[in-house]
């Protein structure tokens, strides 16, 4: 037990989530199915959104709906909406706002970057991918094989579905121009040692592209600390609307050549944003970061921010005042610290759910868990559990759980290289049960009881 507790820093262990407050923010959690409360264990496919996100989307459409850069009120408000959301995501990831690119989803953004990097690659160059990754961080890079680029794959350790770091090191060379790796597996929950992988890539002279889609709802992200060249995530996986966001180092966003239309700006980050963006969703993106900031504010364990620092009206509608550079810096620091606090309580709560789930799964006969099962290594996994049960097809299990109001996924969830590598693709892949911070211990017990029956 000591080892398990030691896997979380003390501040995280002390952090207590106000679950009642959290759940009261998500109206959809009140849904019932056949008289039973719905248990949303489908978070890895997309999380529920807060009322504030719903309000922000409809408020934008009601009051400010327009295209950008016009000389009239609603267009100006649209510009402010986008720049407010860009700053919010920059604070969420730890970058500057001009290093954030918005797009329809992570897959589209990754294809845009791969096409652009591909312009500079050819025969003799290599790209290193992993068998653990979602196809969104594989296919865009694999497409560059048509330019003569060699595609390599780092293997997994089959027993616990972690990355085989020795294999990854073996396949890295001075020919490697880019390493693309997931921060966390959307299929089996493994959290990869991305900081080490970025360093290894840079030592070999390669860029590092991180897919943080599955990591973002569970753990704090710091792109400066990782020193990654790119990092992509999707806001619909962390309580916001269906959108993608990409961080890129400023010098790369400026130096590389994206495919773009002629009248579009040549300045980063706009040169990477193709056509008109989804403005109403972008309004919702800011609201989803505000929700996490508010969660941080409510966290008992968070270190009190400097009382002189302003929060820039983080939880109020977009300010019309012109903040100074110093104001903006103070606001960004304060918002980032509150986000750090939010992720402390999220981590702490999910830690409890994961322990309970791991114990329960170990006591369930006829069940195989894919991924890290050892509770003392719980720090290296998210609360995302991929299982198979003897004599039951994953699709049948998911359907029967769905009939009882328990929402799960079955199949490969586009982690196709992984289900193929494990030899289970032809047998329906896995049943995936995914928890996020709005899930409860009762929901853990409920899904375990349903599986046993
Ligand atoms: C780990 C991971 N990467 C990438 C994606 C693709 O994200 P998007 O739907 O935003 O393209 C997903 C979606 O499920 C995912 O889970």
């Amino acid at each position: 037990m000591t080892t398990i507790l030691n896997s979380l820093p003390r501040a995280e262990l002390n952090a207590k989530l106000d679950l009642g407050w959290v759940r009261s923010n998500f109206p959809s959690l009140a849904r019932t199915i056949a008289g039973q409360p719905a248990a949303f264990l489908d978070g890895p496919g997309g999380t529920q959104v807060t009322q504030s996100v719903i309000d922000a989307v409809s408020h934008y459409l009601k009051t400010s709906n327009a295209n950008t850069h016009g000389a009239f009120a609603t267009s100006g408000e649209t510009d402010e909406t986008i720049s407010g959301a860009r700053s919010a995501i920059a604070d969420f990831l730890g970058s500057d706002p001009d290093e954030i690119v918005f797009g329809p989803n992570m897959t589209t953004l990754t294809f845009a970057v791969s096409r652009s990097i591909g312009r500079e690659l050819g025969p003799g160059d290599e790209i290193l991918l992993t068998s653990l990754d979602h196809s969104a961080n594989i296919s865009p890079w694999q497409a560059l094989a048509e330019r003569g680029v060699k595609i390599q794959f780092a293997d997994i350790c089959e027993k616990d579905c972690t990355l085989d770091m020795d294999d990854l090191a073996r396949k890295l060379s001075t020919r490697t121009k880019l390493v693309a790796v997931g921060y966390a597996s959307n299929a089996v929950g493994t959290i990869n040692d991305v900081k080490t992988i970025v360093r290894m890539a840079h030592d070999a002279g390669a860029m590092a592209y991180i897919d943080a889609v599955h990591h973002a709802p569970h753990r704090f992200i710091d792109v400066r600390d990782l020193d990654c060249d790119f990092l992509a995530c999707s806001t619909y996986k962390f309580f916001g609307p269906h959108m993608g966001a990409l961080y890129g180092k400023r010098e790369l966003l400026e130096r590389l050549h994206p495919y773009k239309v002629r009248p579009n700006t040549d300045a980063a980050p706009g040169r990477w944003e193709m056509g008109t963006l989804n403005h109403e969703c972008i309004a919702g993106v800011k609201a989803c970061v505000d929700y996490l900031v508010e969660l941080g504010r409510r966290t008992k364990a968070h270190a009190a921010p400097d009382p002189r620092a302003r929060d820039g009206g983080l939880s109020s509608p977009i300010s019309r005042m012109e903040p100074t550079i110093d104001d903006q810096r103070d606001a960004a620091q304060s918002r980032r610290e509150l986000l750090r606090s939010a992720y402390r309580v999220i981590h702490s709560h999910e830690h409890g759910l994961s322990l309970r789930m791991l114990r329960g799964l170990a006591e369930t006969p006829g069940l195989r868990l894919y991924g890290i099962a050892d509770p003392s290594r719980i720090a290296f996994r998210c609360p995302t559990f991929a299982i198979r049960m003897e004599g039951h097809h994953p699709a049948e299990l998911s359907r029967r759980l769905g009939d009882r109001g328990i929402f799960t996924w079955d199949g490969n969830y586009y982690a196709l290289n992984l289900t193929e590598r494990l030899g289970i693709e032809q047998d329906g892949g896995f049943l995936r049960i995914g928890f996020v911070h709005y899930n409860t211990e009762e929901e853990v017990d409920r899904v375990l009881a349903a599986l046993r029956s």
Side-chain angles (χ1 to χ4, degrees), residues 44 105-108 134 136 184 186 211 213-214 234 236-237 413:
N105 49 54
M106 179 274 181
T107 307
T108 310
H134 188 284
N186 69 313
D211 170 3
V213 171
H214 193 64
S234 311
Y236 74 95
K237 307 281 190 177
Y413 348 105

Side-chain angles (χ1 to χ4, degrees), residues 104-251:
N105 49 54
M106 179 274 181
T107 307
T108 310
L109 287 164
T110 305
F111 267 109
V113 177
S114 81
R115 269 198 297 261
S116 157
I117 290 178
R119 288 174 136 178
E120 301 184 349
L121 303 184
D125 293 326
E126 295 185 3
I127 288 183
L128 180 53
L129 312 175
T130 90
S131 310
L132 195 54
D133 269 78
H134 188 284
S135 292
N137 205 25
I138 293 180
S139 302
W141 306 111
Q142 246 173 345
L144 302 183
E146 67 193 20
R147 301 180 63 91
V149 177
K150 183 172 171 190
I151 308 296
Q152 300 257 42
F153 277 90
D155 201 4
I156 54 158
C157 303
E158 203 174 325
K159 66 176 190 322
D160 59 3
C161 294
T162 54
L163 272 187
D164 181 342
M165 294 292 276
D166 292 335
D167 191 51
L168 189 138
R170 264 194 306 276
K171 287 173 178 158
L172 252 181
S173 76
T174 50
R175 291 183 300 280
T176 314
K177 294 296 176 283
L178 182 130
V179 178
V181 63
Y183 209 156
S185 159
N186 69 313
V188 291
T190 312
I191 297 177
N192 295 319
D193 183 359
V194 158
K195 191 171 172 178
T196 301
I197 296 171
V198 171
R199 204 184 54 236
M200 290 163 71
H202 287 173
D203 287 349
M207 287 183 275
Y209 189 98
I210 310 301
D211 170 3
V213 171
H214 193 64
H215 194 270
H218 304 294
R219 302 283 178 93
F220 192 61
I221 296 174
D222 190 335
V223 291
R224 295 271 185 264
D225 182 52
L226 293 178
D227 193 31
C228 53
D229 299 284
F230 294 95
L231 181 142
C233 58
S234 311
T235 56
Y236 74 95
K237 307 281 190 177
F238 59 94
F239 324 113
H242 288 93
M243 283 279 307
L246 171 79
Y247 156 79
K249 277 186 177 162
R250 182 180 295 106
E251 62 268 28

Side-chain angles (χ1 to χ4, degrees), residues 393-411:
H393 195 277
E396 172 218 337
L397 287 173
S398 185
R399 185 183 48 74
R400 290 174 64 180
L401 289 169
D403 291 345
R404 298 175 182 208
I406 302 173
F407 303 164
T408 60
W409 281 106
D410 69 279

